[in-house]
Amino acid sequence: MRTIEQLTRPNIRGLKPYSSARDEYKGREASVFLDANENPYSPSYNRYPDPLQHRLKERLSRMKGVDPGQLFLGNGSDEAIDLLFRAFCQPAVDNVVAIDPTYGMYQVCADINDVAYRKVLLDADFQFRADDLLAAADEHTKLIFLCSPNNPTGNDLRREEIDRLLDKFDGLVVLDEAYIDFSGQPSYTGQLRQYPNLVVLQTFSKAWGSAAIRLGMAFASPEIIAVFNKIKYPYNINQLTQEQALRLLDEPEKIQNWVSVLNKERGQLMERFAALPFTERVFPSDANFFLVRVSDAGAIYNYLVGQGIIVRNRHSVSLCGNCLRITIGTSEENNILLETLKRFTMY
Ligand SMILES: *Cc1c(COP(=O)(O)O)cnc(C)c1O
């Protein structure tokens, strides 16, 4: 593997990061803070939040079985994705490789940062071969993006191929686990020590039911995390978000319960979808959504919009012709969807 120093953009390697007032103060406990130009009134939101979110990281890392130094928190996983490009990819020189189809933000961030985005098509089972991704890479490839369970296909990627890629690729492998809580597979956070080139992404937006607080996690070696911390906005996680996340961590059983309810609903909804006359194929899912191929995705999508129901039309995505992506909702929402679709058959 190339070292993290070799992978890092030269300007980032040499960067002197912004030093905030609170960063500089590293002395004893203090009670009078006149260093950051805040208004002393209106507690408890008048003070800048902890730039490195120590309390939250302490709690989270214990739950996830990693060291706090292996954890970065971002304004959604999207921040971590963007930081990966800004830290490691030289615009107009470097490139990244990704499976196709997958989550759209990788390409958007690549385009914003003027980094070539090389797509490698999945096979008919929505699986990849490590050797195909490696064949698409060259000495300017800094990152390879995987997503498991994958979006929009919903399936877990094969671990043998993920392991092989981690063994063979000399840059960073980014494994997006936004939907890992719904999967029967364990997280790759357990493999961080084994693979110094692994970056695992997770989020509070899906199983944790907290898309609105914008909190994403990146797990990686302390060396990679240090690069993120060097270039992130100083106060990227606001106080309200840190507090709400700590509250959520007090009731992990609630999240576990949501996950088992949603997984059960998924099974039922997929079965009922399979019985609809226009359904051609319901693809297996390890996430809180599934992909379904229908006779005419555009017509069904438009019909549902007219009925006030929004699903995702993935017709224009590679390998997803005439496919809709259906998020698992509450039992009531799923019933409304099914009943509405049964009426479509009468058109
Ligand atoms: C929804 C989703 C995310 C979540 O992004 P946030 O910025 O954390 O809300 C990340 N990756 C994938 C593949 C997703 O589908």
Side-chain angles (χ1 to χ4, degrees), residues 148-156 178-184 206 259 262-267 270 283-291 325-328:
S148 181
N150 190 26
N151 179 2
T153 58
N155 60 300
D156 288 324
Y179 301 98
I180 193 68
D181 302 274
F182 301 100
S183 163
K206 307 291 157 64
V259 167
L262 289 169
N263 279 350
K264 199 157 146 269
E265 284 286 331
R266 175 183 72 202
M270 286 170 71
F283 292 94
S285 170
D286 303 292
N288 66 331
F289 62 86
F290 65 92
L291 198 65
R325 194 191 69 190
I326 314 288
T327 305
I328 311 302

Side-chain angles (χ1 to χ4, degrees), residues 76-78 103 106 147 151 176 178-179 203 205-206 214-216:
S77 344
D78 292 345
Y103 185 47
Y106 316 140
C147 181
N151 179 2
D176 190 338
Y179 301 98
T203 179
S205 298
K206 307 291 157 64
R214 307 307 302 133
L215 187 61

Side-chain angles (χ1 to χ4, degrees), residues 161-209:
E161 294 300 315
I162 299 175
D163 289 339
R164 181 171 169 78
L165 189 66
L166 284 161
D167 277 327
K168 301 282 176 198
F169 183 50
D170 66 355
L172 303 186
V173 175
V174 183
L175 178 60
D176 190 338
E177 292 187 337
Y179 301 98
I180 193 68
D181 302 274
F182 301 100
S183 163
Q185 291 291 322
S187 167
Y188 263 83
T189 49
Q191 267 60 56
L192 284 171
R193 269 175 230 285
Q194 185 183 347
Y195 298 117
N197 58 338
L198 171 63
V199 179
V200 176
L201 304 179
Q202 293 183 9
T203 179
F204 276 70
S205 298
K206 307 291 157 64
W208 287 80

Side-chain angles (χ1 to χ4, degrees), residues 127-284:
Q127 293 293 341
F128 77 102
R129 286 187 353 162
D131 290 343
D132 292 343
L133 296 184
L134 292 165
D138 61 21
E139 74 271 23
H140 291 295
T141 306
K142 296 295 191 68
L143 315 169
I144 296 184
F145 282 92
L146 301 177
C147 181
S148 181
N150 190 26
N151 179 2
T153 58
N155 60 300
D156 288 324
L157 299 178
R158 268 193 225 105
R159 289 182 93 83
E160 313 87 78
E161 294 300 315
I162 299 175
D163 289 339
R164 181 171 169 78
L165 189 66
L166 284 161
D167 277 327
K168 301 282 176 198
F169 183 50
D170 66 355
L172 303 186
V173 175
V174 183
L175 178 60
D176 190 338
E177 292 187 337
Y179 301 98
I180 193 68
D181 302 274
F182 301 100
S183 163
Q185 291 291 322
S187 167
Y188 263 83
T189 49
Q191 267 60 56
L192 284 171
R193 269 175 230 285
Q194 185 183 347
Y195 298 117
N197 58 338
L198 171 63
V199 179
V200 176
L201 304 179
Q202 293 183 9
T203 179
F204 276 70
S205 298
K206 307 291 157 64
W208 287 80
S210 302
I213 73 172
R214 307 307 302 133
L215 187 61
M217 298 162 266
F219 303 88
S221 73
E223 211 183 337
I224 296 173
I225 298 299
V227 178
F228 285 164
N229 286 337
K230 190 166 153 180
I231 67 174
K232 77 182 186 71
Y233 284 167
Y235 307 106
N236 60 327
I237 309 296
N238 71 68
Q239 184 70 24
L240 292 158
T241 292
Q242 294 188 45
E243 287 169 4
Q244 176 61 14
L246 283 165
R247 276 195 290 272
L248 284 162
L249 288 168
D250 281 334
E251 34 187 8
E253 333 75 48
K254 190 163 88 179
I255 284 84
Q256 269 320 305
N257 186 52
W258 283 334
V259 167
S260 53
V261 167
L262 289 169
N263 279 350
K264 199 157 146 269
E265 284 286 331
R266 175 183 72 202
Q268 291 172 0
L269 191 59
M270 286 170 71
E271 266 180 41
R272 293 166 76 191
F273 252 84
L276 292 168
F278 50 76
T279 293
E280 293 185 356
R281 179 153 181 208
V282 177
F283 292 94

Side-chain angles (χ1 to χ4, degrees), residues 22 25 29-35 47:
R22 288 297 131 76
Y25 168 72
E29 280 297 300
S31 55
V32 179
F33 287 101
L34 304 176
D35 59 341
R47 300 293 181 190

Side-chain angles (χ1 to χ4, degrees), residues 1 18 20 46 52 74 87 105 156 164 179 184 213 221 291 308 323 330:
M1 185 191 153
Y18 173 75
S20 70
N46 59 327
L52 290 171
M105 268 312 278
D156 288 324
R164 181 171 169 78
Y179 301 98
I213 73 172
S221 73
L291 198 65
C323 286
T330 62

